[in-house]
Amino acid sequence: MFGVKKDYNPKGLGLFLTGYCNLYKIEPRVEYLEKINFLSTKILELKTSGYSGACWGYNFDWQARAFFQPKHTPTVVATSFIGEALIDAYEITKRDELLQTAISCTNFILKDLNKSLDEDKDFTFSYSPLDSTQVYNAGLLGAKLLAIVYPYTNDSNLLATAKKVVSYVCKRQTKEGAWSYGTLPFHQWIDNFHTGYNLECIYRYQEISGDLSFQKYIDKGLEFYVNTFFTEDGISKYYNNKTYPIDIHAPAQLIVTLSKLGVLNENKELVDRVLFWTTDNMQSSKGYFYYQKKKWVTSKIPYIRWAQSWMFYAFSYYLLELHLNEQNQHP
């Protein structure tokens, strides 16, 4: 009706790609490999040109609270998820172009994003080349990809840069273990899934670098995260001090965060409680997941990138965790 054509969202493809890689690790089926090759090839076709390295944005204009992004403007968030997915796919397919593209992403992060330095010369990355905001999860996602690429290049600058971002964000953790969304006056909320991103990214830097100096921030942040954002009934609260809107990103990221931190098993009762509530209250009888549930109304739009790719991504980590546990019990 409005002339909007069907199109691919690169970040959505990246989430599906990682999900299929996880499923392939559980059972190396031909159809999973076909999906991995299709998705990774399509992602390479959708790169945004004109920057120092490989990068991606969204296939539509979007307005954030702090800035406007024309479609295809590359962001550190989309690029980091896609770069990690390409490495996951490389480990399965051994297609060198996937690894080289992921390595190229670090040039975009290091050269095209803006940096906001503090008095210690630590900094965070901007969301895109067009803004200078200090959004904590965005900077950390960039740092995470730098760390993930490091074992393939042994470029010490990648870890050194990642450490500066991790340090910048950890210094801004509250005494309770929380982070606001960013530094701007209208970014002072504390929410569920961005807290999960922060913890995942800091931990992945630590895991790859062997630098344990930020462990206390992870411990405090994880305790705050699991004790604050999830109710006894399994509801995933959006904010630290307010439940609604219940967003499908929150239960999805819980699984990913706990899996990446290696603590999903010890929190499995929480995870299962959240998943049961989510499937009972936010999944259509047709199978897809709803976008958001507000107090009096539910948005049942079947967004592919925001809802379906995220729950597919999350369930793939949950199933992979079950598979690895079974292998450990019955080697």
Side-chain angles (χ1 to χ4, degrees):
M1 184 184 296
F2 296 103
V4 179
K5 297 177 181 177
K6 287 185 178 181
D7 203 359
Y8 290 106
N9 182 294
K11 183 181 172 185
L13 298 187
L15 294 169
F16 281 121
L17 178 56
T18 293
Y20 276 111
C21 288
N22 287 340
L23 294 181
Y24 188 86
K25 292 172 189 175
I26 298 170
E27 185 180 0
R29 292 163 58 173
V30 172
E31 54 263 45
Y32 294 158
L33 185 60
E34 289 174 349
K35 294 288 189 184
I36 290 166
N37 280 315
F38 170 79
L39 290 166
S40 56
T41 298
K42 182 60 65 175
I43 284 170
L44 297 186
E45 293 172 4
L46 295 173
K47 284 186 297 184
T48 298
S49 60
Y51 292 88
S52 301
C55 53
W56 294 263
Y58 294 152
N59 55 319
F60 50 82
D61 297 345
W62 64 285
Q63 178 68 56
R65 297 196 193 194
F67 49 74
F68 171 76
Q69 298 280 355
K71 68 178 182 178
H72 305 309
T73 300
T75 70
V76 66
V77 175
T79 300
S80 64
F81 276 98
I82 292 168
E84 182 173 7
L86 290 175
I87 288 179
D88 290 338
Y90 166 75
E91 286 297 329
I92 291 170
T93 66
K94 298 305 178 184
R95 290 169 55 193
D96 189 60
E97 70 266 33
L98 304 184
L99 175 61
Q100 295 307 317
T101 302
I103 292 171
S104 174
C105 293
T106 64
N107 290 324
F108 167 73
I109 293 170
L110 295 172
K111 297 177 181 179
D112 295 326
L113 297 174
N114 299 305
K115 300 178 180 68
S116 299
L117 280 76
D118 64 16
E119 62 277 4
D120 301 319
K121 305 299 182 185
D122 293 326
F123 59 84
T124 191
F125 294 114
S126 63
Y127 210 95
S128 78
L130 303 186
D131 69 275
S132 296
T133 55
Q134 298 97 57
V135 173
Y136 298 140
N137 78 89
L140 283 174
L141 285 165
K144 181 182 77 166
L145 185 58
L146 297 181
I148 289 170
V149 168
Y150 168 75
Y152 298 92
T153 65
N154 290 316
D155 180 357
S156 59
N157 181 51
L158 298 180
L159 287 186
T161 303
K163 182 173 184 175
K164 287 183 176 295
V165 177
V166 171
S167 178
Y168 181 95
V169 175
C170 283
K171 283 184 288 187
R172 286 152 180 83
Q173 187 184 48
T174 70
K175 63 180 185 297
E176 294 82 17
W179 285 279
S180 60
Y181 180 74
T183 59
L184 292 172
F186 49 83
H187 281 167
Q188 295 310 298
W189 74 84
I190 297 168
D191 77 77
N192 188 322
F193 56 89
H194 290 111
T195 302
Y197 290 173
N198 293 348
L199 291 168
E200 175 193 342
C201 294
I202 297 168
Y203 183 84
R204 291 299 300 281
Y205 160 76
Q206 173 178 286
E207 181 182 37
I208 293 166
S209 68
D211 174 9
L212 304 180
S213 58
F214 301 102
Q215 183 64 50
K216 63 181 180 181
Y217 300 100
I218 297 173
D219 292 341
K220 190 161 59 171
L222 180 61
E223 183 179 6
F224 177 83
Y225 177 60
V226 298
N227 291 333
T228 301
F229 292 112
F230 307 95
T231 72
E232 286 298 317
D233 295 328
I235 297 171
S236 301
K237 297 162 56 181
Y238 197 106
Y239 299 103
N240 63 316
N241 55 3
K242 191 169 73 170
T243 298
Y244 294 97
I246 301 167
D247 191 291
I248 198 64
H249 261 50
Q253 183 59 35
L254 171 67
I255 299 169
V256 179
T257 297
L258 297 182
S259 176
K260 293 290 183 69
L261 269 63
V263 294
L264 193 149
N265 282 333
E266 63 195 71
N267 291 281
K268 192 167 183 300
E269 190 276 331
L270 166 64
V271 171
D272 288 348
R273 192 167 74 236
V274 168
L275 280 181
F276 278 123
W277 188 94
T278 303
T279 53
D280 285 345
N281 294 275
M282 296 189 71
Q283 187 175 24
S284 164
S285 59
K286 296 179 180 178
Y288 72 86
F289 284 88
Y290 305 148
Y291 160 51
Q292 279 188 349
K293 188 176 184 66
K294 299 182 179 178
K295 193 166 187 177
W296 306 114
V297 65
T298 298
S299 175
K300 298 184 178 182
I301 300 172
Y303 290 119
I304 296 297
R305 202 285 293 174
W306 190 269
Q308 314 327 314
S309 63
W310 264 98
M311 287 305 291
F312 181 84
Y313 176 71
F315 272 120
S316 76
Y317 277 105
Y318 184 86
L319 294 172
L320 181 59
E321 194 81 25
L322 294 181
H323 173 71
L324 295 175
N325 289 341
E326 188 175 322
Q327 279 193 327
N328 291 334
Q329 291 171 8
H330 308 286

